[in-house]
Amino acid sequence: TGGLPLEQVKFVCGFPAGGTADINCRRIGEKITGSSYSRNGAMVDNKTGAGGRIAVDTVKAATPDGSSLLLTPYSMMVIYPHTYRTLSYDPFKDFAPVAMASVLSFGLAVGPMVPATVKTVKDFVAWCKANPDRADYASPAAGSSPHFLGAQLSLNTGVAMQHVPYRGSVPGIADLIGGQIASMFTPHGDFLANYRGGKLRILAISGKARSAFTPEIPTFTEQGFPELTIEEWFGFYAPAKTPANVVAAANAAINVALKDKSVIEGMGMQGLTPVGGSSEDMAKEMRRLHQYWGPIVKRVGFTADS
């Protein structure tokens, strides 16, 4: 086992600077300085591409000494095994869960293409039925949780809605507020600036409860769509053979960082709520979600292999 604390650690993130995944890395990374895990703050390495898989592969191949941790949304670990026939990693065998970082809810928002009279999810479904040529929804990626939320809404209401995948939230929101596309499902924190600026309307939130950031917006459950209750978390992972004492030190440092006021506030600006907890809880939650997503992916009929 390597000596602790480590001199320098790296948080590997599969998504670009400024996004929600990156915010987790930077906020937490600043606060692990002087912990029993690391003498210095974490460097953030944005290994973008392949829907977050490049970062996963990077950490799978890293030295298992705690010097490289992966920070990823859970999709790469519990949804991708159902959507990719061949995956270059096994989420359960190639990684040691360290700690959950934060959790977010998704939102369904509409832009100026959809009339102001549309105020609820049911209104939107009715509008889609009446306007089949414009009944489309954007998501930040094909095969992402927001994509499956939209697909389930379409399947469960029997109203055909066309999925339009974007490369991340930003370009999708630009087309949404520009009136090029009717609606979008994406992390609701990504809507907040434009929502507060009156450029889009959020119709529903996918969390179990209303969001503290938008308490005025009802959940899907409140509007009669309980099956659209989904909260996605970000988690830290170490390579599989990382010593248990190193995983424990990393878990402790991350949990302390998540209680820091500036971390809580910085995450809040992105619609993120800190989670933390034990690596055992995270492993259990991974297994549960892996089973949960299997039938949904099958029903939607999506595979990522093209």
Side-chain angles (χ1 to χ4, degrees):
T1 61
L4 286 170
L6 297 164
E7 196 57 44
Q8 181 71 65
V9 300
K10 188 162 41 175
F11 289 168
V12 182
C13 172
F15 299 90
T20 42
D22 178 73
I23 296 284
N24 278 283
C25 290
R26 289 182 199 279
R27 295 287 174 178
I28 296 166
E30 291 162 2
K31 298 293 174 189
I32 63 164
T33 314
S35 63
S36 62
Y37 166 51
S38 178
R39 288 190 217 284
N40 296 292
M43 295 189 317
V44 180
D45 188 5
N46 302 92
K47 290 258 185 248
T48 59
R53 285 175 296 144
I54 291 171
V56 180
D57 283 327
T58 301
V59 174
K60 175 191 168 181
T63 312
D65 61 359
S67 61
S68 290
L69 296 186
L70 170 71
L71 180 282
T72 185
Y74 76 46
S75 294
M76 285 79 247
M77 298 305 205
V78 301
I79 299 182
Y80 283 12
H82 301 296
T83 60
Y84 287 91
R85 280 191 197 92
T86 52
L87 207 53
S88 55
Y89 57 88
D90 180 324
F92 296 93
K93 288 186 185 144
D94 293 331
F95 298 92
V98 177
M100 287 195 226
S102 65
V103 66
L104 57 78
S105 297
F106 299 103
L108 163 61
V110 294
M113 184 192 285
V114 178
T117 49
V118 172
K119 290 182 166 62
T120 65
V121 180
K122 286 183 173 136
D123 291 347
F124 178 64
V125 169
W127 180 86
C128 287
K129 201 171 181 178
N131 297 274
D133 53 324
R134 291 186 287 174
D136 46 24
Y137 66 95
S139 86
S144 61
S145 331
H147 167 195
F148 293 126
L149 271 171
Q152 287 187 90
L153 181 63
S154 175
L155 286 166
N156 295 351
T157 56
V159 176
M161 295 176 192
Q162 189 65 37
H163 174 233
V164 185
Y166 282 82
R167 293 186 68 157
S169 295
V170 176
I173 291 171
D175 278 1
L176 180 69
I177 65 180
Q180 275 89 23
I181 194 158
S183 69
M184 184 169 193
F185 286 85
T186 212
H188 89 291
D190 292 340
F191 287 134
L192 294 178
N194 285 295
Y195 167 66
R196 289 177 182 141
K199 295 187 170 132
L200 55 79
R201 305 179 330 266
I202 305 174
L203 301 182
I205 297 287
S206 74
K208 295 183 192 82
R210 292 192 184 202
S211 162
F213 309 109
T214 51
E216 68 284 0
I217 295 168
T219 62
F220 281 105
T221 301
E222 286 177 80
Q223 299 186 58
F225 300 92
E227 71 287 357
L228 301 184
T229 302
I230 289 170
E231 297 176 334
E232 182 150 13
W233 46 261
F234 292 90
F236 284 100
Y237 293 84
K241 292 182 173 62
T242 305
N245 67 315
V246 176
V247 171
N251 172 280
I254 290 163
N255 271 291
V256 169
L258 288 168
K259 292 183 175 72
D260 187 281
K261 192 167 178 274
S262 70
V263 173
I264 296 166
E265 285 171 0
M267 286 186 166
M269 287 163 73
Q270 302 286 326
L272 298 167
T273 305
V275 182
S278 72
S279 41
E280 292 76 21
D281 288 345
M282 181 173 163
K284 209 181 292 174
E285 184 65 357
M286 260 181 87
R287 287 191 291 274
R288 183 188 74 78
L289 285 161
H290 182 258
Q291 290 171 334
Y292 170 83
W293 279 103
I296 293 174
V297 171
K298 208 176 183 138
R299 185 175 175 227
V300 171
F302 175 83
T303 59
D305 307 281
S306 47

